[in-house]
Amino acid sequence: MTQLEYKLHIDSIIERVEKARLSVSGHHIVKIVAVSKYSDAQEIRSLYEIGQRAFGENKVQDLTQKAQELYELPLEWHFIGNLQKNKINHLIKADPFLFQSLDSLELALELDKRLETNATKMDALLQINSAYEESKSGVMPEVALEIYEQINSTCKHINLKGVMSIGAHTEDKKIIQKSFETTHKIFSELTDATICSMGMSQDFELAIQCGSNMVRIGSLMFNK
Ligand SMILES: *Cc1c(COP(=O)(O)O)cnc(C)c1O
């Protein structure tokens, strides 16, 4: 693909996002996070040159390394992966723009402790397992509100900004939609939350129609 063809490809994704968000409302703004976990620094640079600023990684080490390689660019890094306890300090050092995958109260308490030690804060989303899949991380929908409030009141160094979910892993659109609706309902019950992060390459339009205002698109953005 030439740079021009690649730009047209990205434009077509942006148009699809536009169409989906306008079907909700002209005031419904959606942010695209390009998930670069399958891509190298050069590919990220190519996408940056087309205008993309927000990128997501699911491994702390990859985030650290790619951010270092591209340190001269004004990129916004999102961490979207499973955070093991022994990687907490590495994530704090990487200082992501947004930690999207905070998936338990236990992890929040540990992260908060380390943030306090480092005299710093972190913006985060509570990950909700709205698809009820064992393979997925996140808190169960039934306890999400309670855990969100608990983190809010207990963890002074974590700024919760909203929620994140991965859509149900199935071909059945109805079931995927249900998982998005479950997350959006919780989002709408939170008073100060601003971010509802849902939707990936295969399901971002449906996610936006269900109220997502942040999509995480990987394989499609990078042509993988
Ligand atoms: C990989 C990943 C994505 C992007 O997935 P694609 O299907 O490649 O768009 C989004 N969110 C999370 C949490 C991921 O791990």
Side-chain angles (χ1 to χ4, degrees), residues 14-214:
I14 293 171
E15 273 166 35
R16 286 172 62 187
V17 169
E18 272 299 289
K19 211 171 154 206
R21 76 162 191 93
L22 288 172
S23 78
V24 178
S25 150
H27 301 284
H28 188 71
I29 307 301
V30 175
K31 176 162 179 163
I32 301 174
V33 176
V35 175
S36 47
K37 66 189 184 197
Y38 327 97
S39 308
D40 61 22
Q42 189 46 49
E43 291 167 297
I44 295 169
R45 188 184 290 276
S46 299
L47 191 47
Y48 163 80
E49 283 165 4
I50 297 174
Q52 180 68 30
R53 292 293 175 272
F55 292 88
E57 288 287 336
N58 68 341
K59 295 201 175 81
V60 179
Q61 198 183 335
D62 291 348
L63 191 159
T64 304
Q65 197 185 327
K66 290 174 192 176
Q68 254 166 26
E69 274 181 77
L70 297 163
Y71 77 96
E72 81 279 11
L73 303 182
L75 305 182
E76 184 185 298
W77 289 100
H78 294 238
F79 185 68
I80 60 169
N82 233 320
L83 181 63
Q84 290 159 321
K85 282 225 178 101
N86 61 356
K87 298 284 164 59
I88 291 178
N89 284 338
H90 295 279
L91 185 68
I92 291 174
K93 202 159 171 232
D95 191 23
F97 178 82
L98 183 63
F99 171 30
Q100 296 206 17
S101 38
L102 181 58
D103 59 10
S104 73
L105 177 61
E106 195 194 354
L107 179 62
L109 293 170
E110 190 62 38
L111 173 63
D112 187 59
K113 201 159 55 175
R114 310 281 188 90
L115 286 166
E116 181 167 19
T117 308
N118 286 274
T120 187
K121 294 191 174 193
M122 195 181 288
D123 288 352
L125 304 180
L126 182 64
Q127 183 172 355
I128 304 173
N129 188 353
S130 299
Y132 296 92
E133 286 167 7
E134 269 190 41
S135 58
K136 286 191 170 70
S137 306
V139 302
M140 286 299 152
E142 292 74 18
V143 291
L145 278 176
E146 188 189 328
I147 292 179
Y148 194 99
E149 297 306 342
Q150 231 169 328
I151 294 172
N152 241 350
S153 58
T154 322
C155 303
K156 297 296 175 205
H157 300 81
I158 297 174
N159 300 320
L160 277 183
K161 297 281 181 189
V163 293
M164 182 275 244
S165 273
I166 299 172
H169 184 71
T170 167
E171 299 281 295
D172 190 335
K173 227 179 128 176
K174 286 246 165 60
I175 296 176
I176 302 172
Q177 182 172 340
K178 192 150 183 277
S179 65
F180 288 150
E181 286 169 350
T182 298
T183 298
H184 187 260
K185 181 166 186 295
I186 294 162
F187 171 68
S188 65
E189 285 166 16
L190 295 166
T191 25
D192 290 329
T194 54
I195 301 172
C196 180
S197 173
M198 329 185 276
M200 321 202 309
S201 294
Q202 298 303 323
D203 55 20
F204 67 89
E205 284 147 317
L206 182 59
I208 293 168
Q209 281 151 15
C210 294
S212 165
N213 60 16
M214 183 175 281

